[in-house]
Amino acid sequence: MGSKKLKICISWSMLIWVVVVLSLHHLVGCQDVGDYNEINNPAVLPLITQFVYSRMSNLTAVISRDIGNRSTFCIKDPEADWNQAFNFSSNLDFLTKCIQKTGGDITRRICTAAEMKFYFNNFFQPSSIDNYLKPNKNCNLTSWVSGCEPGWACSIGPNQPVDLENSKEIPARTRSCQTCCEGFFCPHGLTCMIPCPLGSHCPLSRLNRATGVCEPYSYQLPPGQPNHTCGGANIWADVGSSSEIFCLAGSYCPTTVQKISCSSGHYCRMGSTSETPCFKLTSCNANSPSQNIHAYGIMLIAALTTLLLIIYNCSDQVLTTRERRLAKSREAAARSARETARARQRWRAAKDIAKKHASGLQAHFSQTFSRKKHPEELKMLDQAKSEIDEDLYPTCSNSSITSLASPAPSKGKKKEPGDLMQIMHEIELDPDIYEGTSLGIEDPNTKRHMPKGKEVNTHSQIFKYAYTQIEKEKAMQQQNKDLTFSGVVSLATDTEIKKRPLIEISFKDLTLTLKAKNKHLLRCVTGKIKPGRITAVMGPSGAGKTTFLSALAGKAIGCRMTGLILINGKNESVHSYKKIIGFVPQDDIVHGNLTVEENLWFSAHCRLSAYMSKPDKVLIVERVIESLGLQSVRDSMVGTVEKRGISGGQRKRVNVGLEMVMEPSLLILDEPTSGLDSASSQLLLRALRREALEGVNICMVVHQPSYALFKMFDDLVLLAKGGLTVYHGPVKKVEEYFAGLGISVPERVNPPDHYIDVLEGIVKSSASSDMQKYAAGLVVSPVELNPDHGTNPTSTGMGEQSFAGELWQDVKSNVELHRDKIRHNFLKSSDLSHRRTPGVFQQYRYFLGRISKQRLREAKIQAADYLILFLAGACLGLITKPSDQTFGATGYAHSIIAVSLLCKIAALRSFSLEKLQYWRESASGMSSVAYFLAKDTFDHFNTVIKPVVYLSMYYFFTNPRSSFADNYTVMLCLIYCVTGIAYALAIFFEPGPAQLWSVLLPVVLTLIAAQPNKSEVLKFVAKLCYPNWAMEAFVIANAERYYGVWLITRCGSLMKAGYNLHYWGLCLFILMLIGLVSRVVAFFGMITFKKK
């Protein structure tokens, strides 16, 4: 029974397939579906529908190929875009109804490829008449059938063949005119139907008798045709011209004839084909056009506000905790070193007592050894000495004391009384040879090197090593005060004391003339400054003291120099030794947002030898802090104008310490004692004196030193006005020299003050008047003595220069000055210092560490920047109403202005506030590349974070169709671009003009880029503006999300703005390129126009 049923089912299935195949064969052979009389057959109708849809698909494919060549700027993937617009395969009910309505005549009513091209090409060549198309074969002045009216279509003649893929010729279509089918639109001026794209709603219209308008469309019935009725849709264009066919916001249209209201928990944008589920924590009521994601904005506000408050209040704690831990290790090491030093002092006192006692024993033995004593007496004597030793050395073991009191005599030799002195001498040289006695003086060789066989790794070990060495050096200095003449000679010839490379500067007939004014600054100065000595340069104001130091340091710019400057007797450039030359400027150029120790450590890291061990570096830094008396403020901020830090005198000492920590061989100081009291000045001179003991050549300008300070100098260079040398020699002989000239120093008058008063003419005497006349004769007319001028211009009868001549001379002088500066900045010289400092990468690490500390301490400023950007995003997000017509271009223009302005103002601080510090560091040999890259690297943190801060408000308030990732990427490139521009502005301009340019540039350039109707010149200028590329990237990212019914709107908007959908990557590349080029220009300006 089952097998019979199975055979019957198989027979019926085969019969149905035969019918279908025969029907399809007949259908393919027919010119139209109407030729086949089975359109009302439910079994055959779906096959007919599929056949019609296949011909429509071929038609749209042809159109996409033909029109795609002209619309490449707005269509990235033609196949995908046309599928999103005309892929009706999921539901073909509207096509089935149209087949039944037209009686199978549908293929004769659908527009051919030629007619569709005619319709779409009108968007690329807009007509002056907007309500209908240009005249064509079927609709013109002589032929205007009812099918030419909006919402109506006609059919082709019965004997005329139909070729929908014909894209060259419009067929004659004037018969059997009727209303357009649902799901199709019939343009005004064409007599055919075009399928409505997905995302549209194209029902049949109804006449509103009150207004005479066919609703929901906006066309009216033609006058004089009473039998004419409202038809279907009449136009598909941009949303501004044909918004009536777009599926309304709050609803979605799965097909072009069906509209469904959006359910609760979902939202439907305008032109949607499906409803989109809302995110969690968002509110989406029924018929919502967009999801309310303000909850995410509120959460981000709360999170970022909390984070900013934490940063605002706790930024310093990160560094403070680390400094506190280091301070504990340092204090423990210092305490241990001080205790060890006190123990050494007790040991020396005990040793002296032991020596005296041993001397008494030796004298006693010499008197009594000739007479034999009973052994018990000797035993009692030893016992008494042992008791004395126990009192003197309570920490020593009994075995040590016994060996000290009664050393065993060597075999074969008679015990001699001198053995005790020998043992004491051995203990003095190396007390650690006796176990339990570790308080002796170590070998001086260990002064500058770590103990052999011991690894110093931890902070405690490093600090202990450094402070132990410092305490030993103090002890040695205390011992050196009581040295005899032979001891001084021994100390001076001691090869174990570290000597730095010696630099002797000699100068002969050194003359400097200012090029601009042809004025002498120095005249025929001859002499030398020697290593191991401190030379003071003194003189009245205008004597050329600072100019003299600048000439020695190779920093004199804008001057014509004659004479010789020799380095160690050789005619070499002083720049070849810049790694071991320290120059302390007159101004206290230090980093105010770093502590004293951090300033010194950075200089030590970048300028000491790369091969020097960390313990030795710690020793050097700690010694400088100790010698300059900065222990109490080592962890204090130096301070800035806005935030007070250490005192002015301490800041001055830090300024000197920056050069001392790099262990220079030549140290030049410009008025280091100005602003210091007498005690601080003497403290500084004692520190410099210790440097001189290691062979450092020290030359410094001094104003009005006290007599005690004056006596601490070794040599004196006394200059008169005009750069004349009055005296050059030892300080000890200066009074004798002037006394020989008849200039005696009155009682209770400071000699240097008296000599300067004489040179100034304040003090009158017969001898001084002769000296003043001599000096005045040399100074009065510097031009007359200029070897480049044979005669005095004033004696040639020439009149004064004209205004134009003076102006030209000033311009010429400024050009020469800038040329000399640029030439000086790019001056290259061989390195003869024999010191290899850290390379660019290592210095980059040091700079990065320093900048991170500075930015952490400036976290309040950073938090303020983020807060302002945060509020800007919220305000613009609230007031901006995104337009689907322009894809939010207006809001993006406002965003570009706001973000550019705020980020530029913030980025100006990176370079404009530290120009003086950079000029000093670059002049000392630090890497400009490392400095610039470190600054830029840390600013990348802001480049990454600031887009999130801004978009967290703007994006969630405006809720554009583009993704957050796309908006973030464009904003990231934009901020990178404007940051580079800000670098260039900060370097090339002063802070005031730089801020003004930072405000003007974003506004002006964005207005140029957003200009709607630009001329060719303005278009070219817009291509050079970074806002143009940023806005194009934003619009493209948003426009890609508009498809289906939005296709014409997308193409029209992009064509009007001149944008290209394929240029999103190019826009980002150009933004990054502008940022990179700006950074290169900024770096070139930084190293070219830096001040010396």
Side-chain angles (χ1 to χ4, degrees):
M1 189 71 182
S3 59
K4 290 183 179 179
K5 289 183 178 181
L6 181 62
K7 289 180 179 179
I8 294 172
C9 290
I10 293 174
S11 300
W12 275 105
S13 299
M14 293 180 64
L15 181 61
I16 292 173
W17 276 108
V18 169
V19 173
V20 169
V21 170
L22 292 175
S23 300
L24 285 175
H25 176 75
H26 180 75
L27 180 63
V28 172
C30 297
Q31 289 287 337
D32 188 46
V33 180
D35 295 340
Y36 190 68
N37 56 6
E38 296 291 335
I39 58 173
N40 294 320
N41 188 342
V44 179
L45 186 59
L47 300 177
I48 299 174
T49 303
Q50 286 292 340
F51 169 74
V52 174
Y53 175 66
S54 64
R55 297 192 66 181
M56 287 175 53
S57 298
N58 294 335
L59 172 63
T60 55
V62 172
I63 295 299
S64 68
R65 287 194 300 268
D66 290 342
I67 299 181
N69 296 328
R70 300 189 62 181
S71 60
T72 53
F73 67 93
C74 62
I75 297 178
K76 182 178 289 187
D77 185 353
E79 183 178 355
D81 283 327
W82 282 93
N83 280 335
Q84 289 175 329
F86 299 107
N87 186 359
F88 308 107
S89 58
S90 60
N91 192 330
L92 297 177
D93 291 345
F94 79 99
L95 193 58
T96 302
K97 292 179 180 179
C98 189
I99 292 174
Q100 292 177 332
K101 177 182 177 180
T102 58
D105 195 26
I106 183 172
T107 56
R108 294 181 178 272
R109 296 179 179 272
I110 295 177
C111 291
T112 62
E115 291 171 303
M116 294 182 70
K117 283 178 61 179
F118 176 78
Y119 176 78
F120 288 114
N121 284 337
N122 277 270
F123 294 108
F124 299 101
Q125 298 175 356
S127 174
S128 58
I129 303 174
D130 296 332
N131 57 347
Y132 58 87
L133 301 175
K134 293 180 180 180
N136 56 77
K137 183 176 182 178
N138 298 312
C139 300
N140 49 59
L141 293 177
T142 59
S143 173
W144 190 269
V145 295
S146 59
C148 297
E149 299 295 334
W152 278 60
C154 300
S155 176
I156 301 176
N159 299 324
Q160 187 176 355
V162 178
D163 186 6
L164 295 180
E165 299 180 14
N166 185 356
S167 60
K168 295 181 180 181
E169 184 179 357
I170 296 178
R173 194 192 303 269
T174 57
R175 61 180 298 275
S176 184
C177 298
Q178 64 181 35
T179 59
C180 203
C181 293
E182 286 187 306
F184 291 83
F185 72 95
C186 300
H188 189 190
L190 277 181
T191 59
C192 59
M193 300 188 304
I194 301 176
C196 289
L198 292 174
S200 62
H201 184 223
C202 300
L204 292 177
S205 61
R206 295 181 181 180
L207 179 64
N208 186 337
R209 298 187 180 275
T211 60
V213 175
C214 296
E215 295 180 348
Y217 313 110
S218 57
Y219 63 87
Q220 294 180 333
L221 295 178
Q225 297 185 20
N227 295 328
H228 196 88
T229 61
C230 290
N234 66 314
I235 188 173
W236 172 40
D238 61 279
V239 67
S241 304
S242 59
S243 59
E244 57 271 14
I245 76 164
F246 283 70
C247 191
L248 297 178
S251 304
Y252 68 98
C253 301
T255 65
T256 56
V257 296
Q258 184 182 12
K259 183 175 70 172
I260 304 174
S261 297
C262 216
S263 61
S264 179
H266 298 78
Y267 69 97
C268 302
R269 297 181 185 270
M270 188 176 186
S272 298
T273 59
S274 62
E275 56 183 1
T276 306
C278 296
F279 295 153
K280 293 182 179 179
L281 303 179
T282 59
S283 59
C284 291
N285 299 324
N287 302 325
S288 294
S290 62
Q291 58 180 336
N292 185 357
I293 55 178
H294 293 170
Y296 286 94
I298 294 173
M299 288 190 299
L300 278 173
I301 289 175
L304 287 175
T305 303
T306 304
L307 180 62
L308 293 177
L309 288 175
I310 293 173
I311 295 174
Y312 187 85
N313 293 310
C314 305
S315 58
D316 292 338
Q317 298 302 319
V318 177
L319 297 176
T320 304
T321 303
R322 183 176 181 272
E323 291 170 357
R324 189 185 303 116
R325 292 172 62 87
L326 290 177
K328 289 180 180 179
S329 301
R330 185 175 58 247
E331 291 171 1
R335 192 183 311 113
S336 175
R338 287 193 296 267
E339 292 174 356
T340 304
R342 287 195 294 265
R344 284 199 190 97
Q345 292 177 358
R346 291 194 299 268
W347 165 250
R348 293 191 187 97
K351 185 178 65 175
D352 292 339
I353 297 174
K355 282 184 178 181
K356 293 178 181 179
H357 185 65
S359 300
L361 287 178
Q362 185 178 9
H364 181 71
F365 287 158
S366 63
Q367 293 176 3
T368 58
F369 268 163
S370 59
R371 298 175 295 173
K372 292 185 177 180
K373 292 283 186 181
H374 195 277
E376 294 181 359
E377 296 180 3
L378 293 176
K379 184 176 181 182
M380 292 175 62
L381 182 62
D382 291 339
Q383 184 178 359
K385 184 180 185 306
S386 179
E387 292 174 357
I388 295 173
D389 290 341
E390 288 177 359
D391 293 336
L392 293 175
Y393 316 115
T395 58
C396 297
S397 62
N398 292 333
S399 60
S400 300
I401 298 173
T402 303
S403 62
L404 176 63
S406 303
S410 59
K411 292 183 179 181
K413 290 187 180 181
K414 187 178 179 181
K415 178 179 177 180
E416 297 180 357
D419 290 343
L420 185 60
M421 294 300 298
Q422 179 68 25
I423 292 174
M424 297 301 298
H425 184 61
E426 292 175 359
I427 293 175
E428 181 180 357
L429 290 178
D430 193 358
D432 289 342
I433 62 174
Y434 289 92
E435 185 180 359
T437 307
S438 59
L439 304 175
I441 300 176
E442 297 179 2
D443 188 352
N445 248 348
T446 62
K447 170 186 171 187
R448 300 300 302 231
H449 304 284
M450 291 180 292
K452 295 182 179 179
K454 296 182 181 179
E455 294 184 0
V456 181
N457 295 322
T458 64
H459 290 295
S460 300
Q461 292 174 339
I462 293 174
F463 284 129
K464 186 174 182 180
Y465 163 71
Y467 278 101
T468 301
Q469 298 298 326
I470 292 173
E471 293 297 333
K472 289 180 181 179
E473 291 171 2
K474 288 182 180 179
M476 291 180 64
Q477 291 175 4
Q478 188 66 29
Q479 290 177 359
N480 293 339
K481 290 182 179 179
D482 302 326
L483 286 179
T484 61
F485 176 75
S486 60
V488 174
V489 174
S490 176
L491 180 65
T493 58
D494 188 4
T495 58
E496 294 177 350
I497 297 178
K498 179 180 176 182
K499 298 291 183 182
R500 303 180 192 176
L502 302 182
I503 293 182
E504 181 184 82
I505 306 292
S506 57
F507 37 92
K508 184 178 180 181
D509 296 333
L510 183 61
T511 301
L512 263 73
T513 306
L514 194 62
K515 291 181 180 179
K517 299 181 180 180
N518 207 18
K519 176 183 177 182
H520 282 304
L521 302 178
L522 288 178
R523 290 174 182 271
C524 302
V525 180
T526 301
K528 66 172 61 176
I529 55 176
K530 303 175 184 178
R533 300 178 69 85
I534 301 178
T535 303
V537 181
M538 299 176 60
S541 297
K545 302 181 295 298
T546 301
T547 303
F548 173 67
L549 293 188
S550 299
L552 296 183
K555 297 177 181 290
I557 300 177
C559 298
R560 182 168 50 253
M561 188 177 71
T562 59
L564 289 177
I565 297 179
L566 304 179
I567 311 293
N568 294 331
K570 300 179 181 179
N571 189 9
E572 295 171 340
S573 173
V574 71
H575 297 285
S576 299
Y577 298 89
K578 66 179 179 180
K579 291 184 179 180
I580 54 175
I581 294 178
F583 185 88
V584 180
Q586 184 175 352
D587 298 325
D588 301 330
I589 303 174
V590 292
H591 291 277
N593 49 9
L594 294 177
T595 64
V596 171
E597 185 177 7
E598 288 167 351
N599 272 287
L600 298 178
W601 257 115
F602 179 78
S603 182
H605 275 313
C606 292
R607 301 177 67 184
L608 286 173
S609 174
Y611 301 113
M612 182 176 290
S613 62
K614 184 176 181 181
D616 285 333
K617 291 181 180 179
V618 172
L619 173 59
I620 292 170
V621 174
E622 295 298 327
R623 182 189 294 118
V624 170
I625 293 176
E626 184 84 16
S627 61
L628 292 176
L630 298 172
Q631 304 95 323
S632 59
V633 294
R634 65 183 303 153
D635 294 325
S636 301
M637 300 288 291
V638 173
T640 59
V641 177
E642 296 85 4
K643 187 175 181 181
R644 180 170 174 80
I646 60 179
S647 66
Q650 291 166 340
R651 187 185 181 98
K652 177 73 70 175
R653 281 177 274 163
V654 174
N655 188 35
V656 177
L658 291 178
E659 304 300 323
M660 291 176 60
V661 294
M662 52 84 64
E663 293 202 323
S665 295
L666 172 63
L667 183 58
I668 300 174
L669 305 97
D670 191 3
E671 300 186 20
T673 59
S674 297
L676 298 182
D677 55 19
S678 180
S680 298
S681 298
Q682 291 190 30
L683 179 65
L684 176 61
L685 261 292
R686 281 196 294 269
L688 295 176
R689 172 61 61 188
R690 193 208 168 280
E691 296 288 305
L693 288 177
E694 294 190 1
V696 181
N697 190 344
I698 300 175
C699 183
M700 57 192 297
V701 172
V702 186
H703 271 302
Q704 294 181 333
S706 63
Y707 185 72
L709 198 67
F710 180 67
K711 286 297 183 181
M712 297 179 71
F713 297 118
D714 296 311
D715 299 317
L716 173 65
V717 176
L718 187 60
L719 299 175
K721 285 189 176 181
L724 295 169
T725 306
V726 177
Y727 177 81
H728 181 27
V731 170
K732 296 179 180 179
K733 297 182 179 181
V734 63
E735 295 186 39
E736 179 183 351
Y737 172 77
F738 279 102
L741 297 177
I743 302 175
S744 300
V745 181
E747 293 184 2
R748 298 185 180 181
V749 176
N750 192 12
D753 292 341
H754 181 71
Y755 301 144
I756 293 176
D757 289 342
V758 171
L759 294 175
E760 286 279 12
I762 299 175
V763 176
K764 303 290 185 181
S765 65
S766 59
S768 62
S769 62
D770 294 338
M771 184 189 303
Q772 292 166 12
K773 290 179 181 179
Y774 171 74
L778 294 175
V779 178
V780 166
S781 182
V783 180
E784 293 178 0
L785 294 178
N786 190 347
D788 295 339
H789 297 79
T791 60
N792 186 0
T794 59
S795 62
T796 59
M798 293 175 60
E800 293 184 357
Q801 280 187 329
S802 63
F803 176 77
E806 290 183 2
L807 182 62
W808 169 250
Q809 189 65 30
D810 291 341
V811 172
K812 184 178 178 182
S813 300
N814 284 331
V815 171
E816 290 181 355
L817 179 61
H818 286 293
R819 183 190 62 190
D820 291 345
K821 285 183 179 181
I822 295 174
R823 185 184 302 167
H824 188 276
N825 292 336
F826 286 95
L827 180 65
K828 297 295 182 181
S829 56
S830 58
D831 185 13
L832 302 177
S833 61
H834 304 295
R835 175 185 289 185
R836 183 176 178 184
T837 55
V840 174
F841 178 73
Q842 192 66 24
Q843 289 191 40
Y844 167 77
R845 290 180 54 196
Y846 295 144
F847 275 110
L848 200 60
R850 185 184 75 179
I851 294 171
S852 63
K853 293 178 182 178
Q854 291 174 317
R855 295 297 172 85
L856 279 176
R857 294 192 175 104
E858 295 173 353
K860 295 179 180 179
I861 300 177
Q862 298 289 331
D865 290 341
Y866 292 154
L867 182 61
I868 294 173
L869 197 64
F870 192 76
L871 294 175
C875 293
L876 291 178
L878 286 172
I879 65 176
T880 299
K881 302 300 180 183
S883 171
D884 291 326
Q885 181 78 23
T886 59
F887 308 117
T890 304
Y892 287 131
H894 297 160
S895 296
I896 291 171
I897 293 175
V899 172
S900 299
L901 192 150
L902 295 176
C903 292
K904 280 183 181 178
I905 294 293
L908 289 178
R909 294 194 298 266
S910 295
F911 289 95
S912 62
L913 299 181
E914 292 187 355
K915 286 185 178 181
L916 293 177
Q917 288 85 346
Y918 164 71
W919 290 335
R920 176 178 182 176
E921 291 169 353
S922 63
S924 66
M926 293 189 193
S927 173
S928 297
V929 176
Y931 172 79
F932 189 90
L933 289 179
K935 285 278 190 180
D936 189 37
T937 300
F938 205 88
D939 279 341
H940 288 341
F941 174 78
N942 289 329
T943 304
V944 172
I945 296 298
K946 285 186 175 181
V948 178
V949 174
Y950 181 80
L951 290 175
S952 63
M953 288 293 96
Y954 181 82
Y955 182 85
F956 290 108
F957 277 121
T958 57
N959 195 16
R961 298 201 180 195
S962 54
S963 66
F964 185 88
D966 290 341
N967 283 267
Y968 174 81
T969 304
V970 179
M971 193 65 72
L972 179 76
C973 296
L974 173 63
I975 294 179
Y976 179 83
C977 174
V978 300
T979 302
I981 296 174
Y983 289 167
L985 295 177
I987 289 172
F988 284 98
F989 297 100
E990 294 299 321
Q995 292 178 1
L996 182 61
W997 278 108
S998 298
V999 173
L1000 288 178
L1001 279 179
V1003 177
V1004 174
L1005 297 183
T1006 305
L1007 290 177
I1008 293 175
Q1011 194 72 20
N1013 299 317
K1014 294 189 284 284
S1015 61
E1016 293 299 325
V1017 175
L1018 206 58
K1019 287 181 180 179
F1020 176 77
V1021 174
K1023 293 296 182 182
L1024 302 177
C1025 302
Y1026 73 89
N1028 178 76
W1029 301 101
M1031 191 180 300
E1032 183 171 356
F1034 277 123
V1035 171
I1036 288 173
N1038 208 17
E1040 281 184 329
R1041 306 287 175 155
Y1042 287 81
Y1043 47 83
V1045 70
W1046 294 98
L1047 198 58
I1048 294 180
T1049 304
R1050 180 211 291 178
C1051 291
S1053 181
L1054 294 180
M1055 182 175 64
K1056 184 178 180 181
Y1059 298 157
N1060 193 314
L1061 207 62
H1062 299 270
Y1063 287 174
W1064 192 73
L1066 177 64
C1067 294
L1068 301 184
F1069 173 76
I1070 291 179
L1071 287 174
M1072 298 294 286
L1073 181 63
I1074 294 174
L1076 181 62
V1077 171
S1078 301
R1079 283 165 170 79
V1080 173
V1081 172
F1083 176 74
F1084 178 77
M1086 186 181 71
I1087 63 175
T1088 303
F1089 302 106
K1090 61 186 177 184
K1091 181 180 178 182
K1092 287 288 182 178

